[in-house]
Amino acid sequence: MYWNPNIECMPLEDLKALQYRELKTLVNNLYSFNQFYHDRMRAQNVHPDDINCLEDISKLPFMYKQDLRDNYPTKMFSVPNNQIVRYHVSSGTTGKPTLVGYTENDLGYWTEALARSLTSIGIGRDDTLQVSYGYGLFTGGLGLHYGAEKVGATVLPTGTGNTERQIELMMDLGVTAIACTPSYLIHLGDVAKKMGVDIRRDTKLRKAILGAEPWSESMRQHIEESMGIKAYDIYGTSEQAGPMFTECEERKGIHVAGDIMYVEIIDPETGESLGPGQKGEMVVTMLKKEAIPMIRYRIKDVTTLMEEECECGRTSPRISRITGRTDDMLIIRGINVFPSQIEYTLLQIPQVGDQYMIYVTREGALDNMLLQVEIRPEAFSDKVEDMIKLRAHIESELKKYLNIAVAVELKAPGELPRFEGKAKRVIDKRMI
Ligand code: DLL
């Protein structure tokens, strides 16, 4: 089943011709009307006239998350404020978040991408989809919500948390599919077991749409075998719009709507383009985005591009499972956290010294973060109550700025390791 067969099954040459036309218009417009892109292109000595085929895209400058941050909140916006109909916010690399804005058309293309994706995994009118991604500033909840409504599915907007109630509703309402992080689904399975609920026997759940964090084939197998469901990978980032692209029923890579997003794979060290099948850093150009246009945005996710036609009949290019990132962003329970954000938050607390260690572990299905923090000599006290108070204060500051619960352990001055070379402050012990 296709949502938009004319586009999804368009011959690859036609798709490339369409992408070139869209790129040419985009570059012309941005060079003429967008100060940021105009300056970037001038600095790289490239003019719209230099773009004469799709491959010429490699002449254009890259754009980075840092650019969004530097232009926070709305300096990157390409339309007047009265055309913005929604904001979402995701983590930045320091205390400052990344703000994304959408015009009505931007929301339309986001929903269109999801409608194609959901249809490709057989979700439609007969389904009840439980959306257990966070609603609010995170793009997961509202994104899946509108995509599912578009294909006529019934949405159960549970959001995250309150797992026992989620399981009861899943049973009562005959939920057939769930969208959440893979780790949350495993947690939900554990809670169900404790409640005496067998997902396979006691619910109608048959499909899961899992993403927002890295997961593996073995995790897929574990989920499918323990719950008797089929699990599909969904990918997207807030800068692109939010969750957008999924695998199809074949599950041999994530289909990317080529009319909406153009994907390049580059060598992260040299910036050189790599061919299909070669693993590298993904760079995306959003061909239709209005509020925050995006040319050659370096997402930092590592993957490979596949151009051969899929057995499902779709010609749209596919990317393989995201295997990692080229920067140090951690994903904790689906929330993006940069170590530099933690450092930034700690530096605002006068009693805290400049040494810290971050430990990330996975207990059952849930990620946990432990932060060891050295206290300044003048703030160090052997009164236990003072130290407990200080610890609680640091934990609440971290919660406020990072939006995740971090357990803090205070260390005496000089107690934490010093590094001679590059500091290794993050120990990620999660085994997927
Ligand atoms: O995580 C959007 C999303 C919501 C995707 C729900 C899927 C489902 P951000 O918060 O901006 O947006 O985080 C984007 O998360 O650059 C990847 O590193 C990671 N990521 C997202 N999906 C996957 C996936 C949302 N399927 C960042 N596999 C991205 C691996 C993923 N990593």
Side-chain angles (χ1 to χ4, degrees):
M1 274 278 285
Y2 305 110
W3 179 258
N4 194 337
N6 289 343
I7 298 269
E8 291 173 73
C9 304
M10 172 185 263
L12 194 58
E13 312 81 78
D14 294 354
L15 176 65
K16 289 198 168 189
L18 180 133
Q19 288 176 321
Y20 169 61
R21 286 197 302 276
E22 297 271 12
L23 178 70
K24 188 83 189 161
T25 314
L26 184 67
V27 171
N28 278 331
N29 282 342
L30 293 183
Y31 189 81
S32 309
F33 303 115
N34 182 298
Q35 197 62 47
F36 173 84
Y37 281 102
H38 183 87
D39 294 347
R40 273 285 158 95
M41 284 197 250
R42 290 288 295 261
Q44 190 140 319
N45 225 351
V46 51
H47 187 269
D49 292 347
D50 300 327
I51 308 300
N52 296 307
C53 62
L54 200 48
E55 288 67 35
D56 281 345
I57 194 170
S58 63
K59 296 178 183 166
L60 294 166
F62 291 122
M63 181 193 158
Y64 301 87
K65 201 176 185 88
Q66 186 65 29
D67 292 321
L68 291 171
R69 226 176 58 70
D70 290 347
N71 289 289
Y72 180 83
T74 55
K75 274 183 269 164
M76 287 291 288
F77 285 23
S78 232
V79 297
N81 237 15
N82 65 5
Q83 286 184 38
I84 301 290
V85 295
R86 175 139 22 117
Y87 291 133
H88 280 288
V89 177
S90 105
S91 315
T93 49
T94 69
K96 275 260 185 288
T98 310
L99 174 76
V100 285
Y102 304 75
T103 63
E104 207 177 332
N105 283 337
D106 289 337
L107 289 185
Y109 280 111
W110 183 12
T111 304
E112 163 75 21
L114 273 168
R116 290 185 206 168
S117 296
L118 292 172
T119 307
S120 80
I121 57 176
I123 293 193
R125 294 206 165 272
D126 297 330
D127 285 288
T128 300
L129 177 70
Q130 181 163 340
V131 178
S132 306
Y133 283 117
Y135 277 74
L137 293 179
F138 182 55
T139 54
L142 287 173
L144 261 306
H145 185 105
Y146 288 113
E149 282 189 354
K150 184 84 178 169
V151 296
T154 311
V155 177
L156 177 65
T158 49
T160 51
N162 216 341
T163 308
E164 292 191 4
R165 181 146 173 72
Q166 295 222 17
I167 294 164
E168 279 159 16
L169 288 168
M170 181 183 273
M171 291 193 290
D172 295 347
L173 301 174
V175 165
T176 57
I178 186 167
C180 59
T181 60
S183 46
Y184 185 68
L185 186 59
I186 296 182
H187 174 67
L188 184 140
D190 291 345
V191 174
K193 223 178 256 162
K194 280 192 200 129
M195 291 165 67
V197 172
D198 179 341
I199 298 278
R200 192 188 298 260
R201 184 195 60 207
D202 303 325
T203 76
K204 294 208 168 79
L205 190 71
R206 294 298 163 258
K207 286 177 182 172
I209 308 163
L210 308 177
E213 63 187 14
W215 59 304
S216 61
E217 274 311 309
S218 55
M219 202 157 172
R220 164 142 57 197
Q221 234 173 4
H222 166 69
I223 288 171
E224 295 192 338
E225 279 164 17
S226 61
M227 297 187 183
I229 61 172
K230 262 183 112 174
Y232 300 85
D233 201 1
I234 182 164
Y235 172 77
T237 77
S238 6
E239 298 91 334
Q240 289 159 7
M244 285 187 117
F245 308 118
T246 64
E247 302 169 304
C248 64
E249 290 284 14
E250 299 294 328
R251 304 194 297 177
K252 291 181 184 145
I254 294 166
H255 281 275
V256 170
D259 57 319
I260 296 177
M261 180 166 101
Y262 179 72
V263 175
E264 292 171 87
I265 305 292
I266 61 158
D267 177 330
E269 302 293 325
T270 63
E272 296 290 313
S273 297
L274 298 176
Q278 285 181 285
K279 195 175 193 173
E281 184 187 321
M282 174 157 54
V283 174
V284 303
T285 296
M286 302 307 291
L287 297 168
K288 303 202 192 277
K289 228 161 168 322
E290 294 177 337
I292 311 178
M294 218 150 258
I295 292 185
R296 302 200 87 204
Y297 183 72
R298 291 186 64 166
I299 296 271
K300 306 280 183 185
D301 288 323
V302 176
T303 183
T304 51
L305 184 67
M306 296 173 252
E307 282 196 339
E308 60 280 5
E309 189 178 320
C310 180
E311 283 151 48
C312 71
R314 287 178 185 79
T315 47
S316 43
R318 283 167 291 156
I319 52 169
S320 61
R321 198 181 263 288
I322 307 294
T323 53
R325 297 183 51 86
T326 58
D327 63 9
D328 55 357
M329 188 173 94
L330 296 162
I331 303 184
I332 310 290
R333 301 189 184 189
I335 296 177
N336 304 346
V337 183
F338 284 93
S340 51
Q341 268 179 296
I342 296 179
E343 188 172 298
Y344 179 86
T345 310
L346 290 177
L347 286 175
Q348 314 298 310
I349 307 171
Q351 297 93 326
V352 169
D354 43 20
Q355 299 296 328
Y356 63 91
M357 287 293 296
I358 301 168
Y359 293 93
V360 186
T361 52
R362 178 164 282 154
E363 256 169 59
L366 294 180
D367 303 323
N368 288 312
M369 191 185 269
L370 170 73
L371 195 58
Q372 294 181 333
V373 179
E374 236 179 58
I375 298 305
R376 290 198 181 283
E378 59 274 21
F380 198 72
S381 151
D382 39 21
K383 271 205 204 135
V384 179
E385 318 83 82
D386 289 351
M387 290 295 97
I388 291 178
K389 237 184 180 165
L390 177 58
R391 188 181 67 190
H393 174 60
I394 300 172
E395 285 178 346
S396 89
E397 288 297 288
L398 289 160
K399 172 88 190 157
K400 193 156 85 193
Y401 290 108
L402 306 179
N403 215 4
I404 54 166
V406 179
V408 169
E409 215 177 275
L410 299 186
K411 294 284 177 188
E415 211 181 325
L416 285 180
R418 271 31 178 189
F419 301 92
E420 285 182 355
K422 220 171 144 55
K424 190 159 175 30
R425 300 191 188 283
V426 181
I427 313 282
D428 194 340
K429 294 183 177 163
R430 287 175 293 186
M431 299 277 291
I432 297 174

